[in-house]
Amino acid sequence: MEWLNSSLAPLKDLLAFLYKKSKTNDVLKKQVIIELRDNLNVFKNGYINQSSYDPMIDLLSREAVQRAIRDNFSFKKLHPGTISQAMIYEERNRKYLGWTSEKLVDKIDEKIVELKNIKKMNHDSVESVQNNISLMMSNLYFRMKLLADFIQSP
């Protein structure tokens, strides 16, 4: 998980921002932001404690996003508009230029489902799978970080 090392310092401020941003009367928005914050914390603490991917995947949550979808929540409430060049801090996220928060949340949710399914299909472990779990986890992390950066942008 060395890929996380370079973005760990700014993550602290981003997590503090998400905590403040979750102080809203919109219950669904609050739940989605808290879930994003908690999932980013899974990565941070997993890195600090050198955890394996199995428990990290177990701890990733998507319930708030699913609830928001069921209740027809407009993910534009997280941040209206599209992701601009100025909001992209990692080269790997350039492909998300022009995406909306709704499209990015959908892609994050899809990746969490995929990781959990791979784990379930392989005796509840990703230790010896053919998939590149490290790459999948890093892509998920940087998508979530991009969403948080997007929410934080003016």
Side-chain angles (χ1 to χ4, degrees), residues 84-113:
S84 69
Q85 186 67 44
M87 297 171 198
I88 298 175
Y89 303 118
E90 287 85 22
E91 182 67 32
R92 69 191 307 154
N93 283 341
R94 295 220 184 278
K95 63 184 166 194
Y96 304 115
L97 184 65
W99 282 37
T100 63
S101 53
E102 180 176 29
K103 192 172 178 182
L104 192 55
V105 167
D106 183 55
K107 197 68 167 170
I108 290 167
D109 185 57
E110 177 186 313
K111 187 55 67 178
I112 291 172
V113 169

mmCIF file of all heavy atoms in Angstrom, residues 84-113:
data_model
loop_
_atom_site.group_PDB
_atom_site.id
_atom_site.type_symbol
_atom_site.label_atom_id
_atom_site.label_comp_id
_atom_site.label_asym_id
_atom_site.label_seq_id
_atom_site.Cartn_x
_atom_site.Cartn_y
_atom_site.Cartn_z
ATOM 1 N N SER A 84 -13.501 19.500 -12.600
ATOM 2 C CA SER A 84 -12.656 20.293 -13.497
ATOM 3 C C SER A 84 -11.188 19.902 -13.303
ATOM 4 O O SER A 84 -10.831 19.238 -12.334
ATOM 5 C CB SER A 84 -12.831 21.785 -13.211
ATOM 6 O OG SER A 84 -12.275 22.109 -11.951
ATOM 7 N N GLN A 85 -10.371 20.365 -14.223
ATOM 8 C CA GLN A 85 -8.929 20.078 -14.172
ATOM 9 C C GLN A 85 -8.315 20.529 -12.845
ATOM 10 O O GLN A 85 -7.468 19.845 -12.279
ATOM 11 C CB GLN A 85 -8.237 20.786 -15.344
ATOM 12 C CG GLN A 85 -6.778 20.463 -15.484
ATOM 13 C CD GLN A 85 -6.536 19.021 -15.868
ATOM 14 O OE1 GLN A 85 -7.208 18.495 -16.735
ATOM 15 N NE2 GLN A 85 -5.591 18.384 -15.218
ATOM 16 N N ALA A 86 -8.762 21.653 -12.319
ATOM 17 C CA ALA A 86 -8.201 22.204 -11.079
ATOM 18 C C ALA A 86 -8.484 21.319 -9.868
ATOM 19 O O ALA A 86 -7.787 21.420 -8.859
ATOM 20 C CB ALA A 86 -8.760 23.604 -10.842
ATOM 21 N N MET A 87 -9.478 20.466 -9.956
ATOM 22 C CA MET A 87 -9.845 19.595 -8.832
ATOM 23 C C MET A 87 -9.095 18.273 -8.846
ATOM 24 O O MET A 87 -9.203 17.497 -7.908
ATOM 25 C CB MET A 87 -11.351 19.302 -8.871
ATOM 26 C CG MET A 87 -12.206 20.521 -8.707
ATOM 27 S SD MET A 87 -13.926 20.079 -9.032
ATOM 28 C CE MET A 87 -14.618 21.683 -9.315
ATOM 29 N N ILE A 88 -8.346 18.009 -9.888
ATOM 30 C CA ILE A 88 -7.654 16.725 -10.044
ATOM 31 C C ILE A 88 -6.206 16.896 -9.613
ATOM 32 O O ILE A 88 -5.434 17.614 -10.254
ATOM 33 C CB ILE A 88 -7.768 16.226 -11.501
ATOM 34 C CG1 ILE A 88 -9.236 16.009 -11.848
ATOM 35 C CG2 ILE A 88 -6.952 14.960 -11.691
ATOM 36 C CD1 ILE A 88 -9.501 15.643 -13.288
ATOM 37 N N TYR A 89 -5.849 16.229 -8.515
ATOM 38 C CA TYR A 89 -4.502 16.344 -7.957
ATOM 39 C C TYR A 89 -3.613 15.157 -8.312
ATOM 40 O O TYR A 89 -2.397 15.248 -8.217
ATOM 41 C CB TYR A 89 -4.568 16.490 -6.431
ATOM 42 C CG TYR A 89 -5.402 17.680 -6.003
ATOM 43 C CD1 TYR A 89 -6.548 17.513 -5.260
ATOM 44 C CD2 TYR A 89 -5.041 18.977 -6.371
ATOM 45 C CE1 TYR A 89 -7.325 18.601 -4.871
ATOM 46 C CE2 TYR A 89 -5.812 20.072 -6.002
ATOM 47 C CZ TYR A 89 -6.947 19.869 -5.243
ATOM 48 O OH TYR A 89 -7.708 20.947 -4.875
ATOM 49 N N GLU A 90 -4.206 14.040 -8.688
ATOM 50 C CA GLU A 90 -3.443 12.850 -9.059
ATOM 51 C C GLU A 90 -3.636 12.584 -10.549
ATOM 52 O O GLU A 90 -4.769 12.586 -11.034
ATOM 53 C CB GLU A 90 -3.899 11.616 -8.260
ATOM 54 C CG GLU A 90 -3.456 11.617 -6.804
ATOM 55 C CD GLU A 90 -4.406 12.387 -5.889
ATOM 56 O OE1 GLU A 90 -5.578 12.560 -6.246
ATOM 57 O OE2 GLU A 90 -3.954 12.824 -4.821
ATOM 58 N N GLU A 91 -2.555 12.360 -11.238
ATOM 59 C CA GLU A 91 -2.579 12.111 -12.683
ATOM 60 C C GLU A 91 -3.558 10.992 -13.047
ATOM 61 O O GLU A 91 -4.273 11.077 -14.039
ATOM 62 C CB GLU A 91 -1.164 11.759 -13.157
ATOM 63 C CG GLU A 91 -1.041 11.531 -14.643
ATOM 64 C CD GLU A 91 -1.274 12.783 -15.473
ATOM 65 O OE1 GLU A 91 -0.953 13.895 -15.011
ATOM 66 O OE2 GLU A 91 -1.795 12.655 -16.589
ATOM 67 N N ARG A 92 -3.622 9.969 -12.226
ATOM 68 C CA ARG A 92 -4.473 8.813 -12.510
ATOM 69 C C ARG A 92 -5.954 9.171 -12.548
ATOM 70 O O ARG A 92 -6.753 8.403 -13.067
ATOM 71 C CB ARG A 92 -4.202 7.724 -11.476
ATOM 72 C CG ARG A 92 -4.702 8.129 -10.089
ATOM 73 C CD ARG A 92 -4.258 7.239 -8.964
ATOM 74 N NE ARG A 92 -4.559 5.859 -9.188
ATOM 75 C CZ ARG A 92 -3.886 4.849 -8.652
ATOM 76 N NH1 ARG A 92 -2.871 5.091 -7.859
ATOM 77 N NH2 ARG A 92 -4.221 3.619 -8.884
ATOM 78 N N ASN A 93 -6.330 10.309 -11.986
ATOM 79 C CA ASN A 93 -7.738 10.703 -11.958
ATOM 80 C C ASN A 93 -8.149 11.585 -13.137
ATOM 81 O O ASN A 93 -9.292 12.026 -13.207
ATOM 82 C CB ASN A 93 -8.067 11.411 -10.637
ATOM 83 C CG ASN A 93 -8.225 10.441 -9.494
ATOM 84 O OD1 ASN A 93 -8.443 9.254 -9.701
ATOM 85 N ND2 ASN A 93 -8.110 10.935 -8.283
ATOM 86 N N ARG A 94 -7.246 11.834 -14.068
ATOM 87 C CA ARG A 94 -7.567 12.688 -15.216
ATOM 88 C C ARG A 94 -8.737 12.131 -16.034
ATOM 89 O O ARG A 94 -9.478 12.882 -16.653
ATOM 90 C CB ARG A 94 -6.358 12.872 -16.109
ATOM 91 C CG ARG A 94 -5.260 13.635 -15.407
ATOM 92 C CD ARG A 94 -4.577 14.613 -16.331
ATOM 93 N NE ARG A 94 -3.464 15.244 -15.635
ATOM 94 C CZ ARG A 94 -3.581 16.275 -14.812
ATOM 95 N NH1 ARG A 94 -4.756 16.784 -14.572
ATOM 96 N NH2 ARG A 94 -2.531 16.789 -14.220
ATOM 97 N N LYS A 95 -8.914 10.822 -16.023
ATOM 98 C CA LYS A 95 -10.001 10.224 -16.807
ATOM 99 C C LYS A 95 -11.381 10.598 -16.265
ATOM 100 O O LYS A 95 -12.385 10.390 -16.926
ATOM 101 C CB LYS A 95 -9.844 8.702 -16.881
ATOM 102 C CG LYS A 95 -9.919 7.989 -15.556
ATOM 103 C CD LYS A 95 -9.643 6.508 -15.741
ATOM 104 C CE LYS A 95 -9.373 5.844 -14.421
ATOM 105 N NZ LYS A 95 -8.796 4.530 -14.596
ATOM 106 N N TYR A 96 -11.423 11.155 -15.050
ATOM 107 C CA TYR A 96 -12.710 11.551 -14.459
ATOM 108 C C TYR A 96 -13.048 13.016 -14.716
ATOM 109 O O TYR A 96 -14.038 13.520 -14.198
ATOM 110 C CB TYR A 96 -12.713 11.252 -12.953
ATOM 111 C CG TYR A 96 -12.402 9.802 -12.661
ATOM 112 C CD1 TYR A 96 -11.243 9.444 -11.987
ATOM 113 C CD2 TYR A 96 -13.252 8.800 -13.093
ATOM 114 C CE1 TYR A 96 -10.948 8.115 -11.744
ATOM 115 C CE2 TYR A 96 -12.958 7.466 -12.860
ATOM 116 C CZ TYR A 96 -11.802 7.134 -12.185
ATOM 117 O OH TYR A 96 -11.509 5.813 -11.955
ATOM 118 N N LEU A 97 -12.243 13.674 -15.520
ATOM 119 C CA LEU A 97 -12.502 15.060 -15.897
ATOM 120 C C LEU A 97 -13.888 15.147 -16.549
ATOM 121 O O LEU A 97 -14.218 14.371 -17.443
ATOM 122 C CB LEU A 97 -11.425 15.530 -16.882
ATOM 123 C CG LEU A 97 -11.471 16.982 -17.324
ATOM 124 C CD1 LEU A 97 -11.221 17.916 -16.141
ATOM 125 C CD2 LEU A 97 -10.427 17.234 -18.402
ATOM 126 N N GLY A 98 -14.720 16.058 -16.055
ATOM 127 C CA GLY A 98 -16.058 16.234 -16.598
ATOM 128 C C GLY A 98 -17.125 15.353 -15.963
ATOM 129 O O GLY A 98 -18.298 15.455 -16.297
ATOM 130 N N TRP A 99 -16.730 14.473 -15.049
ATOM 131 C CA TRP A 99 -17.697 13.604 -14.383
ATOM 132 C C TRP A 99 -18.469 14.387 -13.321
ATOM 133 O O TRP A 99 -17.977 15.354 -12.755
ATOM 134 C CB TRP A 99 -16.982 12.433 -13.716
ATOM 135 C CG TRP A 99 -16.570 11.332 -14.651
ATOM 136 C CD1 TRP A 99 -16.117 11.472 -15.927
ATOM 137 C CD2 TRP A 99 -16.559 9.937 -14.362
ATOM 138 N NE1 TRP A 99 -15.812 10.236 -16.445
ATOM 139 C CE2 TRP A 99 -16.068 9.281 -15.513
ATOM 140 C CE3 TRP A 99 -16.887 9.176 -13.250
ATOM 141 C CZ2 TRP A 99 -15.926 7.894 -15.579
ATOM 142 C CZ3 TRP A 99 -16.735 7.810 -13.314
ATOM 143 C CH2 TRP A 99 -16.275 7.173 -14.462
ATOM 144 N N THR A 100 -19.672 13.923 -13.035
ATOM 145 C CA THR A 100 -20.485 14.484 -11.953
ATOM 146 C C THR A 100 -20.259 13.677 -10.689
ATOM 147 O O THR A 100 -19.726 12.556 -10.742
ATOM 148 C CB THR A 100 -21.977 14.419 -12.305
ATOM 149 O OG1 THR A 100 -22.359 13.039 -12.435
ATOM 150 C CG2 THR A 100 -22.290 15.187 -13.584
ATOM 151 N N SER A 101 -20.701 14.226 -9.558
ATOM 152 C CA SER A 101 -20.588 13.472 -8.300
ATOM 153 C C SER A 101 -21.418 12.192 -8.377
ATOM 154 O O SER A 101 -21.006 11.156 -7.857
ATOM 155 C CB SER A 101 -20.999 14.330 -7.104
ATOM 156 O OG SER A 101 -22.266 14.893 -7.291
ATOM 157 N N GLU A 102 -22.544 12.233 -9.061
ATOM 158 C CA GLU A 102 -23.390 11.038 -9.191
ATOM 159 C C GLU A 102 -22.660 9.923 -9.929
ATOM 160 O O GLU A 102 -22.664 8.763 -9.502
ATOM 161 C CB GLU A 102 -24.680 11.385 -9.929
ATOM 162 C CG GLU A 102 -25.612 10.197 -10.102
ATOM 163 C CD GLU A 102 -26.923 10.563 -10.745
ATOM 164 O OE1 GLU A 102 -26.963 11.532 -11.543
ATOM 165 O OE2 GLU A 102 -27.918 9.887 -10.452
ATOM 166 N N LYS A 103 -22.012 10.254 -11.023
ATOM 167 C CA LYS A 103 -21.287 9.261 -11.816
ATOM 168 C C LYS A 103 -20.104 8.692 -11.030
ATOM 169 O O LYS A 103 -19.840 7.483 -11.065
ATOM 170 C CB LYS A 103 -20.808 9.903 -13.122
ATOM 171 C CG LYS A 103 -20.302 8.930 -14.145
ATOM 172 C CD LYS A 103 -20.034 9.620 -15.468
ATOM 173 C CE LYS A 103 -19.473 8.652 -16.485
ATOM 174 N NZ LYS A 103 -19.160 9.320 -17.758
ATOM 175 N N LEU A 104 -19.416 9.544 -10.284
ATOM 176 C CA LEU A 104 -18.269 9.098 -9.494
ATOM 177 C C LEU A 104 -18.712 8.213 -8.327
ATOM 178 O O LEU A 104 -18.091 7.182 -8.057
ATOM 179 C CB LEU A 104 -17.470 10.305 -8.998
ATOM 180 C CG LEU A 104 -16.098 10.017 -8.401
ATOM 181 C CD1 LEU A 104 -15.215 9.223 -9.354
ATOM 182 C CD2 LEU A 104 -15.414 11.321 -8.027
ATOM 183 N N VAL A 105 -19.791 8.577 -7.650
ATOM 184 C CA VAL A 105 -20.322 7.749 -6.559
ATOM 185 C C VAL A 105 -20.714 6.376 -7.100
ATOM 186 O O VAL A 105 -20.440 5.347 -6.471
ATOM 187 C CB VAL A 105 -21.524 8.427 -5.862
ATOM 188 C CG1 VAL A 105 -22.269 7.451 -4.957
ATOM 189 C CG2 VAL A 105 -21.055 9.627 -5.052
ATOM 190 N N ASP A 106 -21.327 6.339 -8.274
ATOM 191 C CA ASP A 106 -21.721 5.071 -8.883
ATOM 192 C C ASP A 106 -20.502 4.194 -9.156
ATOM 193 O O ASP A 106 -20.520 2.984 -8.899
ATOM 194 C CB ASP A 106 -22.491 5.330 -10.178
ATOM 195 C CG ASP A 106 -22.983 4.044 -10.825
ATOM 196 O OD1 ASP A 106 -23.686 3.268 -10.138
ATOM 197 O OD2 ASP A 106 -22.664 3.809 -12.007
ATOM 198 N N LYS A 107 -19.430 4.784 -9.653
ATOM 199 C CA LYS A 107 -18.197 4.035 -9.948
ATOM 200 C C LYS A 107 -17.545 3.528 -8.661
ATOM 201 O O LYS A 107 -17.014 2.408 -8.619
ATOM 202 C CB LYS A 107 -17.233 4.929 -10.733
ATOM 203 C CG LYS A 107 -16.142 4.185 -11.415
ATOM 204 C CD LYS A 107 -16.699 3.333 -12.523
ATOM 205 C CE LYS A 107 -15.593 2.830 -13.421
ATOM 206 N NZ LYS A 107 -16.074 1.829 -14.363
ATOM 207 N N ILE A 108 -17.579 4.323 -7.606
ATOM 208 C CA ILE A 108 -17.038 3.909 -6.300
ATOM 209 C C ILE A 108 -17.842 2.738 -5.762
ATOM 210 O O ILE A 108 -17.280 1.727 -5.321
ATOM 211 C CB ILE A 108 -17.048 5.099 -5.311
ATOM 212 C CG1 ILE A 108 -15.995 6.137 -5.722
ATOM 213 C CG2 ILE A 108 -16.825 4.627 -3.874
ATOM 214 C CD1 ILE A 108 -16.127 7.475 -5.018
ATOM 215 N N ASP A 109 -19.160 2.850 -5.817
ATOM 216 C CA ASP A 109 -20.035 1.781 -5.338
ATOM 217 C C ASP A 109 -19.789 0.492 -6.129
ATOM 218 O O ASP A 109 -19.692 -0.589 -5.550
ATOM 219 C CB ASP A 109 -21.494 2.223 -5.463
ATOM 220 C CG ASP A 109 -22.457 1.212 -4.880
ATOM 221 O OD1 ASP A 109 -22.327 0.881 -3.680
ATOM 222 O OD2 ASP A 109 -23.343 0.742 -5.628
ATOM 223 N N GLU A 110 -19.657 0.622 -7.417
ATOM 224 C CA GLU A 110 -19.402 -0.540 -8.282
ATOM 225 C C GLU A 110 -18.106 -1.256 -7.881
ATOM 226 O O GLU A 110 -18.043 -2.482 -7.829
ATOM 227 C CB GLU A 110 -19.320 -0.059 -9.732
ATOM 228 C CG GLU A 110 -18.986 -1.121 -10.747
ATOM 229 C CD GLU A 110 -18.784 -0.512 -12.129
ATOM 230 O OE1 GLU A 110 -19.615 0.314 -12.557
ATOM 231 O OE2 GLU A 110 -17.776 -0.856 -12.780
ATOM 232 N N LYS A 111 -17.058 -0.497 -7.583
ATOM 233 C CA LYS A 111 -15.765 -1.094 -7.227
ATOM 234 C C LYS A 111 -15.828 -1.778 -5.867
ATOM 235 O O LYS A 111 -15.241 -2.853 -5.678
ATOM 236 C CB LYS A 111 -14.668 -0.029 -7.242
ATOM 237 C CG LYS A 111 -13.262 -0.576 -7.059
ATOM 238 C CD LYS A 111 -12.890 -1.647 -8.056
ATOM 239 C CE LYS A 111 -12.781 -1.127 -9.455
ATOM 240 N NZ LYS A 111 -12.382 -2.153 -10.437
ATOM 241 N N ILE A 112 -16.560 -1.193 -4.921
ATOM 242 C CA ILE A 112 -16.710 -1.836 -3.607
ATOM 243 C C ILE A 112 -17.429 -3.173 -3.765
ATOM 244 O O ILE A 112 -17.013 -4.184 -3.186
ATOM 245 C CB ILE A 112 -17.445 -0.907 -2.608
ATOM 246 C CG1 ILE A 112 -16.554 0.287 -2.253
ATOM 247 C CG2 ILE A 112 -17.837 -1.675 -1.343
ATOM 248 C CD1 ILE A 112 -17.247 1.357 -1.421
ATOM 249 N N VAL A 113 -18.496 -3.194 -4.558
ATOM 250 C CA VAL A 113 -19.225 -4.439 -4.816
ATOM 251 C C VAL A 113 -18.299 -5.467 -5.456
ATOM 252 O O VAL A 113 -18.267 -6.632 -5.049
ATOM 253 C CB VAL A 113 -20.456 -4.184 -5.723
ATOM 254 C CG1 VAL A 113 -21.063 -5.491 -6.207
ATOM 255 C CG2 VAL A 113 -21.495 -3.360 -4.994
#
